[in-house]
Amino acid sequence: LVVGSWRCGLPSTTTAVQAGLLFGNRDDIPGFRWYDKEQRASVVTKRPDHMRALRARISQRRLGILRGGSCYVSVFDGDADLALFTLSSFHSQRFFESARGLGLFLLFLLSPLRVLHLLWRILCGYLRRLWRRLKASTRRNVVNLLDLITPFLSTAADVLFTEVQTFGIIMDIYRCVPSIYSNYTGYDEMAHKAGPDRSAAFEALRIIDRAIRQVNRMRVRYRRREYDLYIMSDHGNTPSVPFSWIHEGMLGDAIRAQIGEPINLVELVGAHLDSSEHARFMLDEVRGIERRLSPRLRRISASARLYVRRRLLTPGGSDYNLSRQGDIVVSANGPLAHIYFNVADRPLDLAEVLLLYPQLVDALLSTPGIGVVAGRAERRTVILAPGSGVLTIGPTGRHLDGQHPLDSFGDVAYAEAQLHRLVQFPHAGDLVVLGGMLPDGRVVTFEKQLATHGSLGGTQLQAFVARPPECPLAINTLDDPEALYTYFTARYLSDLDTGPGERLTRLCEMGTAQRFG
């Protein structure tokens, strides 16, 4: 395979990148979570109902690149016929109620060694997590060191999830499914907790590598259908420092302190799609299986399922009833934050924010850890940074007064274009705040993460893709996921409707396995 890097665009989140890759449309997706001022409601990628509505919008008059194929562990389905563990899937499909799921059970029954190997992996993974937590007790970290149950449940969910996911892909190759898309999310989750270059993150990467090797062996040996294999990440990860470690409080606390008057403020912050979501999917599968059990076993299974749900699946910020909250909402997306002022149901211009809260912007720019504050000025974008000048970007050009406010974020021309596009989204915040870059290369994040993505700075915009040598994909020239959509549709779907002799998609992609070093 030929490996190269590409830039995933802003926001550098799975939600936006998958929308661009699978449907060629990532418009008005300002982050992992955002706020709809008109509806007074939050939108969160972890909510299936929110993603179903978003999928309906971005897929209008768009051809999904997975038409006729399968999709696993994804936000969007790309028009796949079979979408399992996919948040935006319109139909409730359970793996263990299908023929492939029954085949997995039979495979386990016929192979006791495989079952023992699975249990061994769970035990070893759990012990490794406990050991890492013990070592982490000597330094500042973002995990609860006294919680011994959640690591076991998370390990079991991750191992089972990876096993089911990989088995489903292998069965799809055997069945000659025309296109297959799957995401392995273990590295991203572990990097958030431990850091992008820690041993725990690399161990998760090795697990993903073993799964891909299993799939590739099936692809090479079973030649009833030729598949092109693409291995890619949908974003990078930058080492990070939580804002609360620098400021001794969340971003919402800093805003509340600076406004200097009683306000009601809601801060949307929480985990990304991780082990808890894997467990949620698996528990849904267990609930489907329970109908086949005897009454006694059904009661035992239901009790165990509810126990796991109580221990592992705690409600996050997405469950707030924001229509009854105050007038300010802060939506954190790693090192990117949107601030919404509910004094109006429409987006506010920067001048209006300055009029309503005269000291807030200056106070934010003087707060340690904040790197950029941006806002609208009708169709223009105004970008400010601590100790820098003012950059204004509009339809007719740009104007810079003083030092460039995006100097610390790398390619300023690319950063300008991406930030201007983001700020002009209808559902972007009235103020958009970026975490600052520290001298050691770490970026400040507004969530409790030791590696982060979603904004500018470091390697979070740098994704990779490995492609077959014969496939004419100019990797290093790709600056957004829509370019990949254009390539895949032109190469694999251009003659989809030409009749019985049509050439079907030959795409097998493994996503979200980040690469460093």
Side-chain angles (χ1 to χ4, degrees):
L1 297 178
V2 177
V3 181
S5 65
W6 65 286
R7 294 190 287 193
C8 64
L10 193 66
S12 48
T13 63
T14 297
T15 310
V17 175
Q18 282 192 3
L21 170 66
L22 299 179
F23 288 107
N25 180 14
R26 59 188 174 107
D27 288 338
D28 200 18
I29 302 179
F32 179 83
R33 57 179 69 83
W34 61 93
Y35 183 67
D36 187 326
K37 294 180 68 175
E38 186 176 358
Q39 299 297 324
R40 296 292 181 95
S42 62
V43 179
V44 186
T45 298
K46 292 171 65 174
R47 287 280 298 269
D49 54 337
H50 293 175
M51 293 304 100
R52 283 195 294 268
L54 182 58
R55 186 241 186 240
R57 175 174 67 79
I58 66 172
S59 64
Q60 290 182 2
R61 298 182 297 277
R62 311 291 301 189
L63 175 68
I65 67 172
L66 301 178
R67 179 166 294 187
S70 297
C71 181
Y72 299 89
V73 197
S74 180
V75 178
F76 303 109
D77 59 12
D79 282 338
D81 284 357
L82 177 67
L84 294 172
F85 316 126
T86 298
L87 289 172
S88 67
S89 177
F90 281 102
H91 305 290
S92 178
Q93 299 166 306
R94 291 193 177 98
F95 183 84
F96 290 119
E97 291 182 349
S98 67
R100 286 175 298 164
L102 293 175
L104 178 62
F105 277 132
L106 292 175
L107 180 62
F108 275 10
L109 292 175
L110 294 174
S111 179
L113 290 178
R114 191 181 184 100
V115 176
L116 291 175
H117 178 67
L118 185 68
L119 296 175
W120 176 250
R121 285 177 56 194
I122 293 174
L123 176 62
C124 291
Y126 175 58
L127 293 177
R128 279 195 297 269
R129 291 196 183 197
L130 291 183
W131 172 243
R132 288 172 186 137
R133 284 179 174 235
L134 180 62
K135 292 197 299 182
S137 64
T138 62
R139 62 179 185 275
R140 203 169 188 182
N141 57 78
V142 297
V143 298
N144 180 5
L145 299 177
L146 300 179
D147 184 3
L148 303 181
I149 300 297
T150 301
F152 175 77
L153 298 175
S154 300
T155 302
D158 287 345
V159 171
L160 289 171
F161 211 73
T162 301
E163 189 75 18
V164 170
Q165 182 179 355
T166 304
F167 183 81
I169 299 168
I170 291 172
M171 291 295 290
D172 279 340
I173 294 175
Y174 179 79
R175 295 167 56 241
C176 298
V177 172
S179 56
I180 310 165
Y181 178 89
S182 188
N183 285 278
Y184 290 98
T185 61
Y187 172 82
D188 192 48
E189 175 193 348
M190 193 56 66
H192 284 318
K193 296 177 181 178
D197 55 357
R198 306 295 295 186
S199 60
F202 286 130
E203 175 61 26
L205 201 59
R206 283 190 286 271
I207 292 172
I208 295 170
D209 194 43
R210 286 196 293 267
I212 295 176
R213 283 202 299 268
Q214 290 183 52
V215 172
N216 192 50
R217 282 197 298 268
M218 182 65 176
R219 180 185 74 95
V220 171
R221 294 176 182 177
Y222 192 72
R223 306 304 292 266
R224 283 181 56 198
R225 183 185 191 87
E226 296 292 331
Y227 285 91
D228 292 335
L229 174 65
Y230 294 84
I231 305 171
M232 62 183 298
S233 65
D234 47 30
H235 53 73
N237 263 312
T238 300
S240 61
V241 176
F243 177 80
S244 59
W245 290 9
I246 297 175
H247 187 267
E248 297 301 327
M250 305 293 284
L251 179 59
D253 298 324
I255 294 172
R256 182 182 286 109
Q258 296 298 343
I259 290 179
E261 60 183 67
I263 63 170
N264 293 318
L265 184 145
V266 173
E267 187 158 15
L268 304 176
V269 62
H272 291 257
L273 188 66
D274 55 15
S275 292
S276 65
E277 294 306 308
H278 295 172
R280 193 186 304 274
F281 283 129
M282 295 305 297
L283 290 177
D284 186 60
E285 294 286 339
V286 172
R287 186 173 55 191
I289 294 172
E290 285 174 2
R291 294 198 298 267
R292 302 174 182 173
L293 301 177
S294 67
R296 178 177 297 180
L297 291 178
R298 190 182 305 134
R299 286 194 297 271
I300 295 173
S301 175
S303 298
R305 175 169 52 82
L306 292 174
Y307 173 79
V308 173
R309 185 176 293 276
R310 285 194 301 268
R311 289 298 308 219
L312 194 58
L313 306 179
T314 56
S318 62
D319 295 322
Y320 282 115
N321 184 354
L322 295 178
S323 65
R324 298 181 179 178
Q325 299 298 315
D327 62 354
I328 299 178
V329 176
V330 179
S331 178
N333 299 264
L336 168 71
H338 297 275
I339 305 174
Y340 302 86
F341 302 96
N342 283 327
V343 293
D345 291 340
R346 58 175 175 77
L348 297 178
D349 275 5
L350 181 60
E352 295 176 283
V353 175
L354 293 172
L355 178 64
L356 293 165
Y357 305 96
Q359 300 177 354
L360 179 59
V361 173
D362 282 341
L364 288 174
L365 290 172
S366 64
T367 300
I370 290 181
V372 166
V373 176
R376 304 176 184 86
E378 296 182 342
R379 297 176 61 192
R380 294 171 296 162
T381 298
V382 180
I383 303 173
L384 308 100
S388 296
V390 179
L391 174 65
T392 304
I393 306 172
T396 59
R398 56 187 289 280
H399 175 73
L400 176 62
D401 183 9
Q403 182 181 350
H404 202 295
L406 299 177
D407 273 343
S408 62
F409 293 98
D411 186 341
V412 293
Y414 185 74
E416 282 180 18
Q418 291 296 315
L419 186 55
H420 172 56
R421 181 178 184 274
L422 174 73
V423 170
Q424 293 299 318
F425 283 159
H427 287 105
D430 300 317
L431 292 179
V432 176
V433 180
L434 308 187
M437 291 297 300
L438 301 180
D440 60 4
R442 292 183 295 174
V443 67
V444 176
T445 177
F446 302 110
E447 301 186 67
K448 291 184 178 180
Q449 300 170 336
L450 296 182
T452 193
H453 57 87
S455 182
L456 303 172
T459 55
Q460 56 189 304
L461 289 178
Q462 296 296 323
F464 82 89
V465 59
R467 63 164 176 86
E470 65 274 10
C471 294
L473 176 60
I475 298 174
N476 296 325
T477 65
L478 301 175
D479 281 339
D480 56 62
E482 287 94 334
L484 282 168
Y485 173 84
T486 301
Y487 166 78
F488 286 132
T489 52
R491 181 169 177 81
Y492 299 105
L493 300 178
S494 58
D495 55 355
L496 185 65
D497 300 317
T498 58
E502 66 191 15
R503 176 175 51 131
L504 295 174
T505 313
R506 298 177 295 130
L507 170 64
C508 180
E509 178 184 12
M510 312 300 149
T512 322
Q514 313 297 324
R515 177 177 181 270
F516 290 85

